[in-house]
Amino acid sequence: MVFFLTSPELARENLASFRRGLGEIGYIESRNVAIEYRYAHGKNDQLATLAAELVRRQVSVIVTLESTQGALAAKAATQTIPIVFMQAADPLRIRLVDSLNRPGGNVTGIQLMSAEMAGKRLDLLLELVPKATSIAYLRNPTNPVFAESEARELQAAARAHAVRLLFLNASRPSDFETAFAELVQQQADALVVSSAVSLLTDPDQIVALAAQHAVPAIYAWRPSGSRRSYELFNEPT
């Protein structure tokens, strides 16, 4: 059983890869394995309910893709059903597993190291916008575990480059316009978008706002189905 933080449209690539992997070991959906899907549509507060529902259904395994909070919710919901995660935060620091080589318990998975790469994304952004002195960082405050680790990497990179780092909060798509209004008011020269997938439930809106305000922006992901302009970097105009 699989549940995602985002929507079916944005989960398409990961879901296709997941099905291919199952097929390679002989499991074909609707033939010899049944898969139930649950989507939180970017709402972290729904994850515990989704995990509890899957536990009540006595599924054989829970796979959480794209979500640190989803993995934590699944672990809190069961100590017996196997859980496989794909998420970004350090699984040791958040106590998701006991060790990397011997996870222990009923949880194992893949860490994407997205937070650790945040500083590198800022480095790249400043190569492309060398005159920038103020960088905005768009993050989801409802995902504190990931946001804190990513912010730590960005702050270190910002200090190294002697640039100001401005924090913008958006926990849902309806917050994006307010966040960009603050970006303009604070006169930020460029934007780093958090790699937390919960910010990418409506990536086209972020891209459109960055283009509207002519702000160079760098992202961690390019979800399938989004506009072609959603690349690693939006060029300044």
Side-chain angles (χ1 to χ4, degrees):
M1 308 306 171
V2 187
F3 73 94
F4 295 85
L5 179 59
T6 56
S7 63
E9 294 77 16
L10 293 179
R12 188 178 300 117
E13 284 188 3
N14 283 335
L15 185 54
S17 297
F18 177 72
R19 288 176 176 140
R20 281 197 301 272
L22 286 178
E24 289 170 1
I25 57 175
Y27 289 98
I28 308 299
E29 186 176 7
S30 300
R31 182 183 303 173
N32 58 0
V33 65
I35 305 176
E36 292 196 21
Y37 304 93
R38 299 292 186 274
Y39 298 92
H41 297 279
K43 299 177 181 178
N44 279 323
D45 58 1
Q46 297 295 313
L47 294 170
T49 300
L50 293 176
E53 180 182 347
L54 292 177
V55 171
R56 285 195 300 271
R57 293 183 65 82
Q58 299 181 330
V59 299
S60 300
V61 60
I62 297 175
V63 180
T64 70
L65 300 178
E66 311 169 341
S67 176
T68 296
Q69 294 295 324
L72 289 171
K75 182 180 180 181
T78 178
Q79 296 181 352
T80 56
I81 298 174
I83 298 166
V84 181
F85 63 80
M86 182 185 76
Q87 54 88 38
D90 182 346
L92 288 176
R93 191 176 68 81
I94 65 176
R95 299 182 180 179
L96 189 57
V97 298
D98 295 332
S99 74
L100 295 181
N101 62 334
R102 296 182 181 276
N106 60 319
V107 183
T108 189
I110 299 172
Q111 180 197 5
L112 301 177
M113 299 187 70
S114 296
E116 289 79 1
M117 294 299 294
K120 295 298 183 182
R121 287 194 291 277
L122 180 58
D123 292 343
L124 178 58
L125 180 61
L126 290 173
E127 286 184 22
L128 297 167
V129 193
K131 295 182 180 179
T133 60
S134 178
I135 305 295
Y137 166 48
L138 184 62
R139 65 175 181 173
N140 184 352
T142 68
N143 189 351
V145 172
F146 181 78
E148 289 173 7
S149 57
E150 192 175 59
R152 194 162 48 244
E153 297 292 333
L154 282 171
Q155 286 172 322
R159 284 194 299 269
H161 290 283
V163 298
R164 180 173 70 109
L165 188 63
L166 167 67
F167 288 81
L168 305 176
N169 292 325
S171 57
R172 58 185 65 84
S174 59
D175 295 333
F176 292 154
E177 290 196 12
T178 301
F180 272 86
E182 184 177 355
L183 179 152
V184 172
Q185 182 181 9
Q186 294 291 333
Q187 298 182 328
D189 298 310
L191 172 68
V192 175
V193 178
S194 173
S195 54
V197 179
S198 50
L199 274 180
L200 302 182
T201 52
D202 192 358
D204 286 349
Q205 184 183 358
I206 302 176
V207 173
L209 285 166
Q212 175 185 332
H213 295 290
V215 57
I218 193 166
Y219 311 82
W221 313 114
R222 184 189 179 191
S224 61
S226 59
R227 297 178 183 175
R228 291 188 62 187
S229 60
Y230 189 71
E231 299 286 355
L232 179 66
F233 180 78
N234 281 130
E235 297 271 357
T237 57

